Each structure stands twice: as C-alpha cells, then as structure tokens.
Amino acid sequence: MGFWEKAKGTVVTERKEVIDLQAKLSKLELSDIDYIYNLMAERTYRGKELEQATTTYLKIKFIKQSLEYQGEQNEQKETKNS
C-alpha cells in the first residue's frame, strides 16, 4: 500500500453545518443587540453605505426597544407574582 492509499484512509472529510440564521438571530439577547447598536452609532458612514447603514440601524434600534420592553414586562410579572 502506497502513501496516498494510507492518507485517504486517515483523512477526515470536512462537515458543513447548515445554520438557520433566522433562528440564531431570534435568540439574540439585549446585550448582543446593545453591542451592535453601539458599534453602529460610533462608526462613520459615507456614500452608498449610508442608506444601508441607516436601514440596519433602524432595524437594530427597533429590536433593541422590543427586547427592552419585553424585559420590563417580565420584571413587572415577576414583581406581581412575588
């Protein structure tokens, strides 16, 4: 048996994992969104990227507000249940 025959037996084929990005993004926590929000707010945008950045910024801001609202609602429920 030659070198290449031995090598073929020991080489592990690479596995590709399919990621459901929507499921991953829906699991972002407030701290994750807050981090992205701050990164976007600190950066300077120019030219064509300004429109995309504005759209993304507004989406992130909306998600951040939703998560903050959910957190407030959960705190109120916990307080009432105590």
Side-chain angles (χ1 to χ4, degrees), residues 4-32:
W4 291 111
E5 287 79 21
K6 289 179 185 177
K8 286 181 184 178
T10 59
V11 174
V12 177
T13 57
E14 186 177 321
R15 294 183 185 177
K16 293 185 180 181
E17 183 179 341
V18 177
I19 298 172
D20 184 2
L21 187 57
Q22 184 176 2
K24 292 278 187 185
L25 289 176
S26 67
K27 294 179 183 178
L28 288 175
E29 296 177 0
L30 178 57
S31 60
D32 301 326

Side-chain angles (χ1 to χ4, degrees), residues 34-49:
D34 196 35
Y35 178 76
I36 295 169
Y37 178 84
N38 290 334
L39 281 177
M40 292 191 72
E42 293 173 3
R43 187 161 182 258
T44 303
Y45 301 95
R46 293 191 176 110
K48 293 180 180 180
E49 67 180 2

